[in-house]
Amino acid sequence: MRSKRLTILSAALIMLLSACGRENSASVIIAGSTSVHPYAELLAEEYYRLPHGMMVDVQGGGSSAGIMQVENGIADIGMSSRSLKENEQHLWQIEIAKDGLAIILHPSNSVDNLTKDQIRGIYAAEITNWSQVGGADKAIHIIAREDGSGTRSAFEELVMAGSRITPRAIIQSSNGAVRQLVSGNPSSIGFISLGMVDEGEKPVKAIAIEGAAATAENVANGSYGLFRSFLFVTKAEPEGSVKEFIDYVLSPDGQRHLLHEGLIGGAAG
């Protein structure tokens, strides 16, 4: 009996030491886009479960902040949901997935389809009432992301075409916050990651753009025109543990998790 107890204790000790060893091993630090953040967290959890996996620390902060942390050596990988700017092109980058940009309304709003011109008009405050685009006679409440957000940069590039978002817009610091406000305001409009439309306790609806439904399939076949790349960015070509994690993300297993979450395959997907 005593021998059996010692065997059990020894096994438990080995497991504990093994776990401690993995926790203390060199971890990878990722920071940046709040759009990419939940998917990177999922991948980090799945990677850690692998026999050779290690701890990956995923932090938010926005695309610009993540890129800056990579340049300053604070983070190993920056997450970006916008294209790199001219002064960032010296950094190494890889597309891990594509994501649709959803224009969301409250489910009670009768508007189900808008053109890019109409969306631009709304966000430039040239269209101020839902009746101007086939909806009810109600003032439009505009919700947008903050400057430096990859989601906002993508929206400005894909929709605004040089026009400025009105200063009347209510600014939020994450896709989740935009979604929450729209879900509670029948007169509001917002833009978020397509993969986040169905998250949260209260529903929102993603409208069609120029007749094309906001679905991953339509992003993949090109009929839905609002999409952006999700990027991993590093200071130089990755090696060691950073490369190992990126390789996992681009592997069939990593891409399978992203596809299951509603994204479209990246460079190796």
Side-chain angles (χ1 to χ4, degrees), residues 12 20 44 46 50 57 63 72 80 99 107 119-120 130-131 142 148-149 161 191 199 206 213 223 244 246 248 261-262:
C20 289
E46 295 298 331
L50 299 176
D57 181 13
S63 296
N72 293 334
S80 181
D99 178 49
I119 299 166
R120 184 184 310 117
W130 284 113
S131 63
I142 301 166
S149 153
F191 53 86
E199 294 186 1
S223 61
E244 289 174 16
I246 293 176
Y248 167 72
E261 294 299 316

Side-chain angles (χ1 to χ4, degrees), residues 22-29 44 47-48 53-57:
R22 288 183 67 186
E23 286 178 4
N24 293 327
S25 63
S27 63
V28 176
I29 298 175
Y47 183 64
Y48 186 71
M54 65 189 70
M55 185 173 66
V56 177
D57 181 13

